[in-house]
Amino acid sequence: RMKYLTRRRAKRVYDWRGKPLSFNRKLKTYEYGSLVISIEGVPGTMVIQPGQHILIEGEDDDNPYVARVLQLFGDGESLNQEQKKALVQWFVRLSEVPHSKRTLLGREPHPKEIFFYQGPSCENEVDAESILRAVQVRVAPDTPWILKATPKRSAGDFLTSSSFLLSQTPPSTPRTPRHATPSIPNRLLPTRQPANVLEEARIRLHVSAVPESLPCREQEFQDIYSFVESKILDGTGGSGTSVIFFFFFILLNDCTRSLQKLTGQKATADHAAALLEKRFSNPAPRKETTVLLVDELDLLWTRKQNVMYNLFDWPSRRHARLVVLAIANTMDLPERIMINRVASRLGLTRMSFQPYTFKQLQQIITSRLNKVKAFEEDALQLVSRKVAALSGDARRCLDICRRATEICEHSAADPSAAGLVAMSHVMEALNEMFSSAYITAIKCASLQEQLFLRAVIAEFRRLGLEEATFQQVLVQHQALCRVEGLQPIGVSESLAVCQRLGACRLLLLEPSRLGVLQRVRLNVSQDDVLYALKAD
C-alpha cells in the first residue's frame, strides 16, 4: 500500500494584548491596541498593531490578501463572548486588475505589483483570526510603490517578515475575503456637486433637506416658545395640544422609550411606567424641567385611554416639572374621542396651525431655493395656487416642484444648458402627479360612489383618524345626499357602493361579514380624491 505525505496545517492562536482601550456603547465593541499571534509548536510570537501591513487568508495558501490594519476590536455583548475583528485597508494584486485597466498606468506594470484599493465594494471589517502575519513595507527606488510577491513559507518561519513595495495607482475591484463581515464603507470621496442649477434646486427642495429657516410659522413658533419658557421659569408643568400640517417631530409614544430618553435606563412597559410615575410624583434636589413632545396623539387612543391619562396627569403633579406638548390632527380631539377623566386633565392652551396659503407656499419654495434661480415667477405661483386650493400641504408642493425640474431638464436638448422651469413644465408635473389609475377611477365613478368617497373624508376629518366604520360613513353619506338634493339611499345600496369601491382598491375594507361594523380606510391620499372630484 502506497503512503502519501501531506503537510499538516499550522494552528495559530490569537489573543488580545493588554486590556481594552475603550468601549463603544452604541456598537457594543471593545477597542484593543494589539493582537498577539502564536503557533503551536513554534517558539516566539508576533504582535499585530494598527498601522501595520499584514497578510490575510486568501483563496489558497499561495495567494494571501494584503491589507493594512486600521483598528482592532472585539465585537460582542461581553468580553467572554466577543469575536475578534479587524478594520483594514485593502490592496489588490496585479492579477486582479482587468487588462483594460492596466493601460491606465501609462507604463509596463511589474508582474508582482500590488495596488492601493479605494473601491466601496469590498468589506473592510474582517475576522482577526484570518490574519496570517505582518509584513514590512518599503518604497521601491525606481517604480513608485510596487509590492513584490511573498515567497512560500512553512510553519517554522511564519514569523519572518518579508519586504513589500506598494503602488498608489487606482485598482479594480478585488475579491471579497472569505471571513469578511458586512459593514458600511467609509466615504473616501466627497459628495458629488450639482451638475447644474436644476439639480441643485432638486436637492434644496427635497422634503428631507433641512432648510436654513422655517418661514410662515414665526408667530406660532413664538407662542410655543413663550409657553414652554414660562413653564420652565415658573418651575411648573403644563400641557397643550395643537393641529399640525407640516412639521416634523420625534415620536415618543410609550413609557419604555420615554424612560430611556430621560434616564438611559431600559425596562419593561409596566416597570417603566412605575419609574416615570415615581419621577414625576416625588420631589428631588436640583430637578430639571422635562419637555415631552408627543406626535400623532390620535394614535395613542385606546378604549381605556390609560396612556393618555398618565401622560396628561403627570404635568398636574406638584413636583413633576413636566411640560407636555401634544400634536393632533383635530382641534377638538379631547371633546370628540377622549373620555372625561382624560379631557379634564388636558390643558386649554391650544394652537391651530392653519393650512398654508398660496403666498406662504410660494415663500417657502423661494426660501428653500435661497437665490437659486431655477423657476419662472409664474410657474412658482401656479404650483402654489394649485396645492393651496387642495390641501395647503407644503410637502406636496415641494414634490411637484422637484418633478417639474426633472421634466425641464429632460426636455432640453442639452441638460447642462436647460433653461428655467416654466408653467408648461409645472402643468405637466401636476397632470402626471394627479393622473394615476386611481384618480382616473375616481373621475369615472358614479355619482353615489363619488359622494361616498367624500363622506369617507368628511368622517375621517370629524374623527381626526384615518379609519372609520361603515356605519359612521353612512351617516355622512346620507347627509351629503340631502345637501346635493338627492334622495338618500338605503343601507344595502350604500353597502354595495362601498363594496364596489373596495373591489377597485380605492378603499380598504374589513371582511364583509362584519356588515355595517366593518372598518373603512382610503387606499389613496385625501389630496388625490379631492383633486379628482374637483377636476371632475
Side-chain angles (χ1 to χ4, degrees), residues 172-199:
S172 66
T173 303
R175 295 185 297 269
T176 302
R178 291 181 298 171
H179 299 283
T181 55
S183 64
I184 300 176
N186 296 325
R187 180 181 290 278
L188 300 176
L189 298 175
T191 56
R192 186 176 65 87
Q193 296 299 317
N196 51 47
V197 174
L198 295 177
E199 186 174 342

PDB file of all heavy atoms in Angstrom, residues 172-199:
ATOM      1  N   SER A 172      -8.673  47.882  -9.667  1.00  0.00           N
ATOM      2  CA  SER A 172     -10.015  47.372  -9.928  1.00  0.00           C
ATOM      3  C   SER A 172     -10.588  46.796  -8.645  1.00  0.00           C
ATOM      4  O   SER A 172      -9.999  46.899  -7.579  1.00  0.00           O
ATOM      5  CB  SER A 172      -9.942  46.282 -11.001  1.00  0.00           C
ATOM      6  OG  SER A 172      -9.231  45.165 -10.480  1.00  0.00           O
ATOM      7  N   THR A 173     -11.730  46.147  -8.761  1.00  0.00           N
ATOM      8  CA  THR A 173     -12.409  45.576  -7.595  1.00  0.00           C
ATOM      9  C   THR A 173     -11.778  44.248  -7.211  1.00  0.00           C
ATOM     10  O   THR A 173     -11.697  43.327  -8.032  1.00  0.00           O
ATOM     11  CB  THR A 173     -13.892  45.357  -7.910  1.00  0.00           C
ATOM     12  OG1 THR A 173     -14.454  46.588  -8.299  1.00  0.00           O
ATOM     13  CG2 THR A 173     -14.616  44.805  -6.689  1.00  0.00           C
ATOM     14  N   PRO A 174     -11.324  44.073  -5.967  1.00  0.00           N
ATOM     15  CA  PRO A 174     -10.731  42.798  -5.559  1.00  0.00           C
ATOM     16  C   PRO A 174     -11.806  41.813  -5.137  1.00  0.00           C
ATOM     17  O   PRO A 174     -12.962  42.152  -4.979  1.00  0.00           O
ATOM     18  CB  PRO A 174      -9.873  43.211  -4.359  1.00  0.00           C
ATOM     19  CG  PRO A 174     -10.634  44.339  -3.759  1.00  0.00           C
ATOM     20  CD  PRO A 174     -11.272  45.075  -4.915  1.00  0.00           C
ATOM     21  N   ARG A 175     -11.384  40.586  -4.942  1.00  0.00           N
ATOM     22  CA  ARG A 175     -12.296  39.573  -4.424  1.00  0.00           C
ATOM     23  C   ARG A 175     -12.544  39.815  -2.947  1.00  0.00           C
ATOM     24  O   ARG A 175     -11.650  40.244  -2.218  1.00  0.00           O
ATOM     25  CB  ARG A 175     -11.705  38.165  -4.615  1.00  0.00           C
ATOM     26  CG  ARG A 175     -11.558  37.773  -6.076  1.00  0.00           C
ATOM     27  CD  ARG A 175     -11.087  36.339  -6.187  1.00  0.00           C
ATOM     28  NE  ARG A 175      -9.765  36.147  -5.595  1.00  0.00           N
ATOM     29  CZ  ARG A 175      -8.636  36.258  -6.248  1.00  0.00           C
ATOM     30  NH1 ARG A 175      -8.645  36.561  -7.540  1.00  0.00           N
ATOM     31  NH2 ARG A 175      -7.468  36.072  -5.660  1.00  0.00           N
ATOM     32  N   THR A 176     -13.748  39.528  -2.493  1.00  0.00           N
ATOM     33  CA  THR A 176     -14.093  39.692  -1.086  1.00  0.00           C
ATOM     34  C   THR A 176     -13.479  38.561  -0.263  1.00  0.00           C
ATOM     35  O   THR A 176     -13.631  37.393  -0.617  1.00  0.00           O
ATOM     36  CB  THR A 176     -15.615  39.674  -0.903  1.00  0.00           C
ATOM     37  OG1 THR A 176     -16.172  40.713  -1.700  1.00  0.00           O
ATOM     38  CG2 THR A 176     -15.980  39.899   0.554  1.00  0.00           C
ATOM     39  N   PRO A 177     -12.780  38.851   0.824  1.00  0.00           N
ATOM     40  CA  PRO A 177     -12.193  37.791   1.648  1.00  0.00           C
ATOM     41  C   PRO A 177     -13.248  36.860   2.204  1.00  0.00           C
ATOM     42  O   PRO A 177     -14.394  37.237   2.421  1.00  0.00           O
ATOM     43  CB  PRO A 177     -11.495  38.586   2.775  1.00  0.00           C
ATOM     44  CG  PRO A 177     -11.295  39.942   2.214  1.00  0.00           C
ATOM     45  CD  PRO A 177     -12.425  40.193   1.289  1.00  0.00           C
ATOM     46  N   ARG A 178     -12.842  35.628   2.477  1.00  0.00           N
ATOM     47  CA  ARG A 178     -13.784  34.621   2.951  1.00  0.00           C
ATOM     48  C   ARG A 178     -14.373  34.973   4.299  1.00  0.00           C
ATOM     49  O   ARG A 178     -15.506  34.637   4.603  1.00  0.00           O
ATOM     50  CB  ARG A 178     -13.088  33.259   3.037  1.00  0.00           C
ATOM     51  CG  ARG A 178     -12.740  32.663   1.692  1.00  0.00           C
ATOM     52  CD  ARG A 178     -12.085  31.318   1.856  1.00  0.00           C
ATOM     53  NE  ARG A 178     -10.829  31.424   2.601  1.00  0.00           N
ATOM     54  CZ  ARG A 178     -10.135  30.377   3.045  1.00  0.00           C
ATOM     55  NH1 ARG A 178     -10.577  29.155   2.835  1.00  0.00           N
ATOM     56  NH2 ARG A 178      -9.008  30.555   3.696  1.00  0.00           N
ATOM     57  N   HIS A 179     -13.611  35.636   5.148  1.00  0.00           N
ATOM     58  CA  HIS A 179     -14.052  35.897   6.517  1.00  0.00           C
ATOM     59  C   HIS A 179     -14.564  37.326   6.699  1.00  0.00           C
ATOM     60  O   HIS A 179     -14.661  37.818   7.809  1.00  0.00           O
ATOM     61  CB  HIS A 179     -12.906  35.631   7.510  1.00  0.00           C
ATOM     62  CG  HIS A 179     -12.419  34.212   7.483  1.00  0.00           C
ATOM     63  ND1 HIS A 179     -13.101  33.178   8.080  1.00  0.00           N
ATOM     64  CD2 HIS A 179     -11.320  33.671   6.910  1.00  0.00           C
ATOM     65  CE1 HIS A 179     -12.443  32.049   7.892  1.00  0.00           C
ATOM     66  NE2 HIS A 179     -11.353  32.322   7.180  1.00  0.00           N
ATOM     67  N   ALA A 180     -14.892  37.991   5.612  1.00  0.00           N
ATOM     68  CA  ALA A 180     -15.385  39.364   5.721  1.00  0.00           C
ATOM     69  C   ALA A 180     -16.791  39.373   6.306  1.00  0.00           C
ATOM     70  O   ALA A 180     -17.574  38.452   6.100  1.00  0.00           O
ATOM     71  CB  ALA A 180     -15.382  40.032   4.347  1.00  0.00           C
ATOM     72  N   THR A 181     -17.110  40.426   7.052  1.00  0.00           N
ATOM     73  CA  THR A 181     -18.444  40.605   7.616  1.00  0.00           C
ATOM     74  C   THR A 181     -19.017  41.908   7.102  1.00  0.00           C
ATOM     75  O   THR A 181     -18.281  42.844   6.771  1.00  0.00           O
ATOM     76  CB  THR A 181     -18.394  40.648   9.154  1.00  0.00           C
ATOM     77  OG1 THR A 181     -17.472  41.679   9.558  1.00  0.00           O
ATOM     78  CG2 THR A 181     -17.932  39.320   9.714  1.00  0.00           C
ATOM     79  N   PRO A 182     -20.370  42.020   6.998  1.00  0.00           N
ATOM     80  CA  PRO A 182     -20.970  43.240   6.436  1.00  0.00           C
ATOM     81  C   PRO A 182     -20.649  44.466   7.266  1.00  0.00           C
ATOM     82  O   PRO A 182     -20.613  44.423   8.493  1.00  0.00           O
ATOM     83  CB  PRO A 182     -22.475  42.928   6.487  1.00  0.00           C
ATOM     84  CG  PRO A 182     -22.555  41.446   6.542  1.00  0.00           C
ATOM     85  CD  PRO A 182     -21.354  40.994   7.302  1.00  0.00           C
ATOM     86  N   SER A 183     -20.427  45.570   6.596  1.00  0.00           N
ATOM     87  CA  SER A 183     -20.197  46.854   7.262  1.00  0.00           C
ATOM     88  C   SER A 183     -20.474  47.965   6.271  1.00  0.00           C
ATOM     89  O   SER A 183     -20.556  47.736   5.063  1.00  0.00           O
ATOM     90  CB  SER A 183     -18.753  46.953   7.783  1.00  0.00           C
ATOM     91  OG  SER A 183     -17.845  46.926   6.694  1.00  0.00           O
ATOM     92  N   ILE A 184     -20.654  49.173   6.783  1.00  0.00           N
ATOM     93  CA  ILE A 184     -20.886  50.337   5.935  1.00  0.00           C
ATOM     94  C   ILE A 184     -19.538  50.923   5.551  1.00  0.00           C
ATOM     95  O   ILE A 184     -18.750  51.298   6.430  1.00  0.00           O
ATOM     96  CB  ILE A 184     -21.733  51.390   6.678  1.00  0.00           C
ATOM     97  CG1 ILE A 184     -23.085  50.789   7.058  1.00  0.00           C
ATOM     98  CG2 ILE A 184     -21.917  52.632   5.818  1.00  0.00           C
ATOM     99  CD1 ILE A 184     -23.941  51.711   7.861  1.00  0.00           C
ATOM    100  N   PRO A 185     -19.210  51.000   4.270  1.00  0.00           N
ATOM    101  CA  PRO A 185     -17.897  51.520   3.879  1.00  0.00           C
ATOM    102  C   PRO A 185     -17.762  52.998   4.199  1.00  0.00           C
ATOM    103  O   PRO A 185     -18.736  53.748   4.164  1.00  0.00           O
ATOM    104  CB  PRO A 185     -17.864  51.282   2.360  1.00  0.00           C
ATOM    105  CG  PRO A 185     -19.294  51.243   1.957  1.00  0.00           C
ATOM    106  CD  PRO A 185     -20.037  50.637   3.129  1.00  0.00           C
ATOM    107  N   ASN A 186     -16.546  53.392   4.538  1.00  0.00           N
ATOM    108  CA  ASN A 186     -16.275  54.794   4.820  1.00  0.00           C
ATOM    109  C   ASN A 186     -16.292  55.593   3.520  1.00  0.00           C
ATOM    110  O   ASN A 186     -15.902  55.096   2.453  1.00  0.00           O
ATOM    111  CB  ASN A 186     -14.900  54.951   5.486  1.00  0.00           C
ATOM    112  CG  ASN A 186     -14.863  54.283   6.840  1.00  0.00           C
ATOM    113  OD1 ASN A 186     -15.851  54.274   7.546  1.00  0.00           O
ATOM    114  ND2 ASN A 186     -13.716  53.716   7.194  1.00  0.00           N
ATOM    115  N   ARG A 187     -16.769  56.830   3.593  1.00  0.00           N
ATOM    116  CA  ARG A 187     -16.766  57.694   2.407  1.00  0.00           C
ATOM    117  C   ARG A 187     -15.353  58.193   2.174  1.00  0.00           C
ATOM    118  O   ARG A 187     -14.768  58.888   2.999  1.00  0.00           O
ATOM    119  CB  ARG A 187     -17.707  58.875   2.604  1.00  0.00           C
ATOM    120  CG  ARG A 187     -17.738  59.799   1.395  1.00  0.00           C
ATOM    121  CD  ARG A 187     -18.666  60.972   1.635  1.00  0.00           C
ATOM    122  NE  ARG A 187     -20.030  60.554   1.648  1.00  0.00           N
ATOM    123  CZ  ARG A 187     -20.762  60.360   0.552  1.00  0.00           C
ATOM    124  NH1 ARG A 187     -20.211  60.536  -0.629  1.00  0.00           N
ATOM    125  NH2 ARG A 187     -22.019  59.996   0.646  1.00  0.00           N
ATOM    126  N   LEU A 188     -14.777  57.800   1.028  1.00  0.00           N
ATOM    127  CA  LEU A 188     -13.414  58.195   0.707  1.00  0.00           C
ATOM    128  C   LEU A 188     -13.373  59.414  -0.209  1.00  0.00           C
ATOM    129  O   LEU A 188     -12.361  60.080  -0.321  1.00  0.00           O
ATOM    130  CB  LEU A 188     -12.683  57.028   0.030  1.00  0.00           C
ATOM    131  CG  LEU A 188     -12.578  55.757   0.892  1.00  0.00           C
ATOM    132  CD1 LEU A 188     -11.932  54.647   0.088  1.00  0.00           C
ATOM    133  CD2 LEU A 188     -11.797  56.031   2.153  1.00  0.00           C
ATOM    134  N   LEU A 189     -14.490  59.668  -0.898  1.00  0.00           N
ATOM    135  CA  LEU A 189     -14.556  60.811  -1.803  1.00  0.00           C
ATOM    136  C   LEU A 189     -15.666  61.756  -1.358  1.00  0.00           C
ATOM    137  O   LEU A 189     -16.674  61.304  -0.812  1.00  0.00           O
ATOM    138  CB  LEU A 189     -14.821  60.340  -3.238  1.00  0.00           C
ATOM    139  CG  LEU A 189     -13.749  59.426  -3.857  1.00  0.00           C
ATOM    140  CD1 LEU A 189     -14.209  58.948  -5.225  1.00  0.00           C
ATOM    141  CD2 LEU A 189     -12.417  60.149  -3.967  1.00  0.00           C
ATOM    142  N   PRO A 190     -15.523  63.028  -1.579  1.00  0.00           N
ATOM    143  CA  PRO A 190     -16.594  63.966  -1.208  1.00  0.00           C
ATOM    144  C   PRO A 190     -17.827  63.742  -2.069  1.00  0.00           C
ATOM    145  O   PRO A 190     -17.758  63.165  -3.162  1.00  0.00           O
ATOM    146  CB  PRO A 190     -15.968  65.342  -1.472  1.00  0.00           C
ATOM    147  CG  PRO A 190     -14.902  65.081  -2.494  1.00  0.00           C
ATOM    148  CD  PRO A 190     -14.375  63.708  -2.178  1.00  0.00           C
ATOM    149  N   THR A 191     -18.981  64.177  -1.558  1.00  0.00           N
ATOM    150  CA  THR A 191     -20.210  64.039  -2.322  1.00  0.00           C
ATOM    151  C   THR A 191     -20.135  64.840  -3.617  1.00  0.00           C
ATOM    152  O   THR A 191     -19.511  65.903  -3.667  1.00  0.00           O
ATOM    153  CB  THR A 191     -21.410  64.531  -1.500  1.00  0.00           C
ATOM    154  OG1 THR A 191     -21.175  65.880  -1.090  1.00  0.00           O
ATOM    155  CG2 THR A 191     -21.623  63.664  -0.282  1.00  0.00           C
ATOM    156  N   ARG A 192     -20.772  64.314  -4.649  1.00  0.00           N
ATOM    157  CA  ARG A 192     -20.718  64.962  -5.950  1.00  0.00           C
ATOM    158  C   ARG A 192     -21.487  66.277  -5.924  1.00  0.00           C
ATOM    159  O   ARG A 192     -22.593  66.356  -5.393  1.00  0.00           O
ATOM    160  CB  ARG A 192     -21.325  64.030  -7.003  1.00  0.00           C
ATOM    161  CG  ARG A 192     -21.192  64.535  -8.427  1.00  0.00           C
ATOM    162  CD  ARG A 192     -21.724  63.491  -9.385  1.00  0.00           C
ATOM    163  NE  ARG A 192     -23.145  63.291  -9.202  1.00  0.00           N
ATOM    164  CZ  ARG A 192     -24.077  64.019  -9.814  1.00  0.00           C
ATOM    165  NH1 ARG A 192     -23.720  64.986 -10.635  1.00  0.00           N
ATOM    166  NH2 ARG A 192     -25.361  63.770  -9.623  1.00  0.00           N
ATOM    167  N   GLN A 193     -20.900  67.299  -6.493  1.00  0.00           N
ATOM    168  CA  GLN A 193     -21.530  68.611  -6.547  1.00  0.00           C
ATOM    169  C   GLN A 193     -22.600  68.626  -7.643  1.00  0.00           C
ATOM    170  O   GLN A 193     -22.494  67.907  -8.640  1.00  0.00           O
ATOM    171  CB  GLN A 193     -20.481  69.691  -6.814  1.00  0.00           C
ATOM    172  CG  GLN A 193     -19.451  69.831  -5.708  1.00  0.00           C
ATOM    173  CD  GLN A 193     -20.085  70.221  -4.381  1.00  0.00           C
ATOM    174  OE1 GLN A 193     -20.967  71.076  -4.338  1.00  0.00           O
ATOM    175  NE2 GLN A 193     -19.663  69.585  -3.311  1.00  0.00           N
ATOM    176  N   PRO A 194     -23.662  69.433  -7.476  1.00  0.00           N
ATOM    177  CA  PRO A 194     -24.708  69.505  -8.508  1.00  0.00           C
ATOM    178  C   PRO A 194     -24.138  69.906  -9.858  1.00  0.00           C
ATOM    179  O   PRO A 194     -23.281  70.792  -9.957  1.00  0.00           O
ATOM    180  CB  PRO A 194     -25.660  70.581  -7.958  1.00  0.00           C
ATOM    181  CG  PRO A 194     -25.405  70.615  -6.488  1.00  0.00           C
ATOM    182  CD  PRO A 194     -23.965  70.283  -6.308  1.00  0.00           C
ATOM    183  N   ALA A 195     -24.622  69.227 -10.911  1.00  0.00           N
ATOM    184  CA  ALA A 195     -24.092  69.491 -12.247  1.00  0.00           C
ATOM    185  C   ALA A 195     -24.641  70.776 -12.841  1.00  0.00           C
ATOM    186  O   ALA A 195     -24.000  71.385 -13.704  1.00  0.00           O
ATOM    187  CB  ALA A 195     -24.399  68.304 -13.162  1.00  0.00           C
ATOM    188  N   ASN A 196     -25.854  71.175 -12.416  1.00  0.00           N
ATOM    189  CA  ASN A 196     -26.449  72.394 -12.967  1.00  0.00           C
ATOM    190  C   ASN A 196     -27.408  72.989 -11.946  1.00  0.00           C
ATOM    191  O   ASN A 196     -27.575  72.463 -10.842  1.00  0.00           O
ATOM    192  CB  ASN A 196     -27.167  72.102 -14.288  1.00  0.00           C
ATOM    193  CG  ASN A 196     -28.135  70.938 -14.159  1.00  0.00           C
ATOM    194  OD1 ASN A 196     -28.918  70.861 -13.214  1.00  0.00           O
ATOM    195  ND2 ASN A 196     -28.061  70.018 -15.107  1.00  0.00           N
ATOM    196  N   VAL A 197     -28.038  74.072 -12.323  1.00  0.00           N
ATOM    197  CA  VAL A 197     -28.929  74.796 -11.410  1.00  0.00           C
ATOM    198  C   VAL A 197     -30.143  73.954 -11.050  1.00  0.00           C
ATOM    199  O   VAL A 197     -30.602  73.951  -9.904  1.00  0.00           O
ATOM    200  CB  VAL A 197     -29.360  76.138 -12.051  1.00  0.00           C
ATOM    201  CG1 VAL A 197     -30.408  76.823 -11.186  1.00  0.00           C
ATOM    202  CG2 VAL A 197     -28.158  77.049 -12.234  1.00  0.00           C
ATOM    203  N   LEU A 198     -30.690  73.216 -12.022  1.00  0.00           N
ATOM    204  CA  LEU A 198     -31.891  72.419 -11.771  1.00  0.00           C
ATOM    205  C   LEU A 198     -31.612  71.294 -10.781  1.00  0.00           C
ATOM    206  O   LEU A 198     -32.447  70.978  -9.928  1.00  0.00           O
ATOM    207  CB  LEU A 198     -32.418  71.855 -13.086  1.00  0.00           C
ATOM    208  CG  LEU A 198     -32.927  72.889 -14.099  1.00  0.00           C
ATOM    209  CD1 LEU A 198     -33.362  72.206 -15.386  1.00  0.00           C
ATOM    210  CD2 LEU A 198     -34.079  73.695 -13.506  1.00  0.00           C
ATOM    211  N   GLU A 199     -30.457  70.680 -10.888  1.00  0.00           N
ATOM    212  CA  GLU A 199     -30.099  69.619  -9.944  1.00  0.00           C
ATOM    213  C   GLU A 199     -29.912  70.181  -8.537  1.00  0.00           C
ATOM    214  O   GLU A 199     -30.313  69.559  -7.548  1.00  0.00           O
ATOM    215  CB  GLU A 199     -28.829  68.910 -10.405  1.00  0.00           C
ATOM    216  CG  GLU A 199     -28.475  67.689  -9.557  1.00  0.00           C
ATOM    217  CD  GLU A 199     -27.297  66.909 -10.109  1.00  0.00           C
ATOM    218  OE1 GLU A 199     -26.967  67.094 -11.298  1.00  0.00           O
ATOM    219  OE2 GLU A 199     -26.709  66.124  -9.352  1.00  0.00           O
TER     220      GLU A 199
END
